[in-house]
Amino acid sequence: MPLLDTPVRLGVQLQPQHLTYPQIRDAVLRLEDMGVDILFNWDHFFPLYGDRDGLHFEAWTMLGAWAEQTERVEFGCLVNCHSYRGADLQADMARTLDHISAKGGVGRFIFGTGAGWFERDYDEYGYEFGTPGSRLNALADGLDRIEDRWAKLNPAPTREIPIMIGGKGEQKTLRIVAKHADIWHSFVQGDDLTHKISVIEKWGEKDGRDTSGIIISNELKDRDEEQADDLFDRGTRVYTLGFQGPDFDYGIVQRWLDWRDSKNG
């Protein structure tokens, strides 16, 4: 069963496309002031929607700015593409962000990661696209290296950096989730969500890891409170909201903050 006694948290994914950086910076400040729990971007090199050659910014350098700019919120990629950077380098980058963000002594970085899927990124930046299977195999191997590197770095991370893994494939992705994840993120709903959680539990039993502490994360965009309530009843405790500018609708964020607060009592 998923971890049910953890509070509901709201994450907002600021889509780093079709915006100037000052617009992104201002949105980060406002969202933290509103009380959002987590801020995410995404790890791509080109817009995913709208003008395919529109304004766009790189994820990890942006996160370094967020680590300094913010005081309270957790932050990360939803999600990092493992293919774009060596595993040990990712570990060191994550550890560094952890320390930059440790305003109260404990870092706030969440290591959200996945196997990658956006072929244009690979083609234009010179990475081998491979197959879904080869990219997942690389992610599995890479996470072993990342965890090993965290144990060797000096200074060590300020905390056990939470690993958030996105995806739903039952044969590879959910096995990786069962082995490594602290947070599992997907878009699945209803009985399919309950089934996927049971698959994670079975992989955990097979591989000898207790998965009961994995926090379930899901998406709110284009959903209503009834759907969010059902996700809650099935164990979801982190909710993410895709948020696109430049005409940000902060009323939607406030609506979901109010819903979060109603769940947390």
Side-chain angles (χ1 to χ4, degrees):
M1 291 294 292
L3 194 65
L4 299 179
D5 59 354
T6 188
V8 172
R9 289 183 290 165
L10 177 66
V12 172
Q13 184 188 45
L14 272 169
Q15 300 174 2
Q17 60 177 8
H18 310 308
L19 297 166
T20 65
Y21 192 73
Q23 289 173 315
I24 294 173
R25 182 192 301 118
D26 291 347
V28 167
L29 284 173
R30 182 163 178 178
L31 290 166
E32 182 173 47
D33 287 345
M34 289 180 72
V36 166
D37 300 292
I38 311 168
L39 291 173
F40 293 110
N41 59 15
W42 65 36
D43 188 20
H44 296 289
F45 304 131
F46 302 95
L48 297 184
Y49 315 114
D51 179 2
R52 66 191 306 270
D53 294 316
L55 300 176
H56 200 278
F57 290 98
E58 193 276 330
W60 279 79
T61 45
M62 182 185 301
L63 294 178
W66 291 9
E68 280 286 8
Q69 176 184 350
T70 60
E71 299 288 336
R72 176 191 56 78
V73 291
E74 292 188 289
F75 64 97
C77 285
L78 188 60
V79 290
N80 168 64
C81 177
H82 181 77
S83 307
Y84 302 158
R85 306 160 191 90
D88 292 81
L89 174 61
Q90 292 177 61
D92 205 340
M93 293 164 68
R95 182 279 310 256
T96 301
L97 287 174
D98 171 73
H99 277 266
I100 293 171
S101 64
K103 303 293 178 66
V106 178
R108 295 175 284 118
F109 177 66
I110 295 174
F111 184 63
T113 193
W117 62 273
F118 190 43
E119 190 168 2
R120 185 185 181 191
D121 286 346
Y122 289 80
D123 291 345
E124 295 214 25
Y125 275 64
Y127 300 111
E128 181 181 350
F129 189 54
T131 66
S134 68
R135 294 194 299 276
L136 282 166
N137 289 341
L139 176 63
D141 293 342
L143 281 166
D144 288 334
R145 292 186 63 90
I146 287 165
E147 291 176 342
D148 287 345
R149 180 58 56 187
W150 280 339
K152 298 174 183 176
L153 288 169
N154 184 17
T158 68
R159 63 173 181 169
E160 291 188 9
I161 296 174
I163 296 174
M164 180 179 193
I165 297 175
K168 63 178 183 177
E170 295 183 12
Q171 295 306 308
K172 289 192 174 184
T173 302
L174 295 188
R175 189 169 193 175
I176 297 170
V177 169
K179 182 177 181 181
H180 294 283
D182 300 289
I183 307 169
W184 168 54
H185 181 75
S186 78
F187 294 80
V188 298
Q189 302 184 69
D191 291 341
D192 192 26
L193 176 61
T194 301
H195 168 70
K196 299 291 186 184
I197 292 170
S198 73
V199 172
I200 294 171
E201 292 170 346
K202 289 175 182 176
W203 278 125
E205 292 169 3
K206 182 178 179 63
D207 293 338
R209 185 192 179 205
D210 179 6
T211 62
S212 63
I214 295 175
I215 295 171
I216 308 302
S217 171
N218 213 294
E219 172 64 28
L220 287 172
K221 192 172 186 296
D222 300 324
R223 295 181 180 169
D224 59 24
E225 284 82 355
E226 182 178 353
Q227 291 168 301
D229 287 341
D230 184 68
L231 289 169
F232 177 87
D233 292 340
R234 295 176 189 273
T236 303
R237 291 298 181 268
V238 171
Y239 292 81
T240 66
L241 178 66
F243 200 49
Q244 183 170 337
D247 298 320
F248 293 114
D249 184 356
Y250 290 96
I252 293 176
V253 177
Q254 189 60 56
R255 166 189 164 193
W256 288 113
L257 286 170
D258 292 343
W259 180 86
R260 176 203 66 184
D261 293 345
S262 73
K263 290 299 181 186
N264 289 336

